[in-house]
């Protein structure tokens, strides 16, 4: 609890057996009330391990739905459990759970409804071993996206994000892709809804288990991000309609 708000961490997991426990042990349980892990039909024993180490809410998809599909299940479960603040953290030990405390401080004190842990603010990304091609792609996509959606974020691609529950009342994530571009669509919806985003500097670690997305998947993701930004630009002008930006009733 923080300021009377219920704090829930969601872990969208896929083959996370080697890194899950390390990630879980660093979660600051002095403020975190509950943890939800969704196993997207992993090929390893992620779900069994999650139960063994004491995660209360473990959901296993029967089929692999994808990273976005996984998050849809995560947020829906966290909201059902009465979360006021939801932190999405990858269980691949790439981002430190210790940052949950300042992130919750920002949202819980009403400063921002959304906080991103940025690897690009400061020297986190390259220092932590982000491959050069990913770094360059990140910087170019971020520049293009900042121009098209009228923002000044340091990056749109971090997997460490937190949201107040009100965000989910203003945007409809059920309309989003089930693939990796889900994250980018969600940020686009947040910006479209004029919700302000805060950023904190985040160290990051690149090692085998923390990064499995290959070059081809990265290119597909990059093109998806460009499409999201272009549609956002024209939707803002009122020239195109997109189901992503429909107001929730
Ligand atoms: N649900 C789901 N998640 C996946 C899949 N492939 C990767 N992920 C997750 O997506 C996240 C980002 O992938 P990762 O390989 O860590 O990317 P990187 O750290 O950006 O290089 C991680 O939490 C992975 O566990 C998949 O097929 N399904
Ligand atoms: Mg990773």
């Amino acid at each position: 609890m923080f300021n009377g708000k219920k704090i829930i961490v969601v872990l969208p997991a896929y083959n996370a057996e080697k890194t899950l426990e390390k990630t879980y042990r660093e979660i600051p349980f002095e403020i975190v009330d509950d943890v939800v892990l969704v196993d997207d039909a992993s090929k390893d024993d992620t779900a069994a391990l999650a139960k063994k180490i004491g995660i209360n809410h473990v959901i296993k998809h029967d089929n692999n739905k994808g990273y976005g599909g996984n998050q849809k299940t995560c947020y829906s479960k966290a909201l059902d459990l009465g979360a006021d603040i939801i932190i999405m953290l990858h269980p691949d030990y790439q981002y430190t759970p210790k940052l949950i405390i300042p992130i919750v401080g920002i949202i819980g004190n009403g400063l921002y409804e959304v906080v991103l842990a940025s690897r690009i603010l400061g020297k986190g990304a390259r220092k932590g071993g982000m491959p050069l091609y990913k770094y360059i792609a990140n910087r170019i996509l971020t520049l293009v996206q900042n121009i098209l959606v009228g923002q000044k974020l340091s990056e749109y691609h971090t997997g460490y994000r937190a949201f107040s529950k009100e965000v989910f009342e203003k945007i409809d994530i059920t309309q989003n892709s089930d693939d990796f571009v889900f994250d980018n669509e969600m940020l686009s919806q947040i910006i479209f809804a004029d919700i302000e985003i805060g950023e904190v500097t985040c160290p990051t670690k690149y090692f085998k288990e923390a990064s499995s997305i290959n070059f081809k998947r990265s290119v597909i993701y990059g093109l998806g991000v460009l499409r999201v930004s272009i549609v956002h630009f024209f939707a803002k002008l009122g020239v195109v309609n997109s189901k992503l930006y429909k107001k929730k009733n």
Side-chain angles (χ1 to χ4, degrees):
M1 286 290 226
F2 181 86
N3 267 357
K5 296 178 196 298
K6 187 168 184 180
I7 316 298
I8 299 189
V9 171
V10 299
L11 305 169
Y14 182 66
N15 296 343
E17 202 183 359
K18 290 205 179 102
T19 51
L20 171 60
E21 186 162 4
K22 245 187 354 213
T23 311
Y24 181 72
R25 298 278 172 230
E26 271 187 28
I27 292 175
F29 285 103
E30 59 270 34
I31 58 165
V32 170
D33 299 285
D34 238 328
V35 176
V36 172
L37 180 136
V38 178
D39 179 356
D40 195 25
S42 291
K43 296 189 182 93
D44 65 9
D45 281 329
T46 295
L49 175 67
K51 285 183 194 142
K52 195 176 131 216
I53 62 177
I55 299 181
N56 281 338
H57 306 283
V58 178
I59 300 169
K60 186 162 178 159
H61 286 165
D62 293 333
N63 310 303
N64 186 280
K65 293 194 177 165
Y67 175 67
N70 191 327
Q71 280 190 67
K72 287 177 188 170
T73 310
C74 283
Y75 297 130
S76 139
K77 180 68 185 176
L79 292 168
D80 280 352
L81 290 169
D84 294 303
I85 298 175
I86 303 174
I87 301 104
M88 192 271 283
L89 171 69
H90 289 175
D92 63 4
Y93 202 58
Q94 187 157 28
Y95 310 93
T96 173
K98 292 174 184 162
L99 213 56
I100 289 172
I101 293 182
I103 289 173
V104 165
I106 294 172
I107 299 180
N109 281 308
L111 299 175
Y112 291 98
E113 287 179 75
V114 176
V115 171
L116 306 181
S118 166
R119 305 161 296 178
I120 302 295
L121 277 177
K123 292 194 169 170
R126 287 290 288 151
K127 219 172 139 191
M130 183 189 269
L132 188 61
Y133 85 86
K134 282 200 182 180
Y135 181 78
I136 293 172
N138 185 316
R139 303 297 289 145
I140 294 171
L141 288 173
T142 298
L143 175 72
V144 172
Q145 203 152 20
N146 270 335
I147 294 168
L148 287 173
V149 308
Q151 279 287 317
K152 207 177 142 203
L153 295 177
S154 68
E155 72 157 322
Y156 291 76
H157 316 288
T158 172
Y160 198 1
R161 300 152 177 239
F163 312 94
S164 72
K165 72 160 191 270
E166 287 77 17
V167 169
F168 296 90
E169 289 157 13
K170 296 177 193 168
I171 64 170
D172 185 4
I173 59 166
T174 62
Q175 300 299 325
N176 299 12
S177 159
D178 282 339
D179 203 354
F180 288 109
V181 80
F182 172 94
D183 268 353
N184 211 259
E185 291 178 332
M186 191 172 172
L187 278 186
S188 170
Q189 291 170 310
I190 285 165
I191 293 163
F192 203 91
D194 287 325
I195 300 168
E196 278 206 54
I197 301 169
E199 292 185 277
V200 295
T201 314
C202 178
T204 181
K205 288 191 274 290
Y206 274 79
F207 55 99
K208 192 168 140 264
E209 287 81 21
S211 184
S212 62
I213 298 177
N214 60 24
F215 185 73
K216 191 175 158 210
R217 291 302 297 266
S218 304
V219 172
I220 294 170
Y221 169 76
L223 293 174
V225 166
L226 289 177
R227 184 185 48 77
V228 169
S229 321
I230 291 166
V231 172
H232 183 116
F233 180 80
F234 286 110
K236 203 77 194 168
L237 288 178
V239 181
V240 298
N241 271 323
S242 166
K243 61 184 180 159
L244 289 193
Y245 309 117
K246 290 232 167 71
K247 285 234 155 55
K248 268 184 113 171
N249 335 293

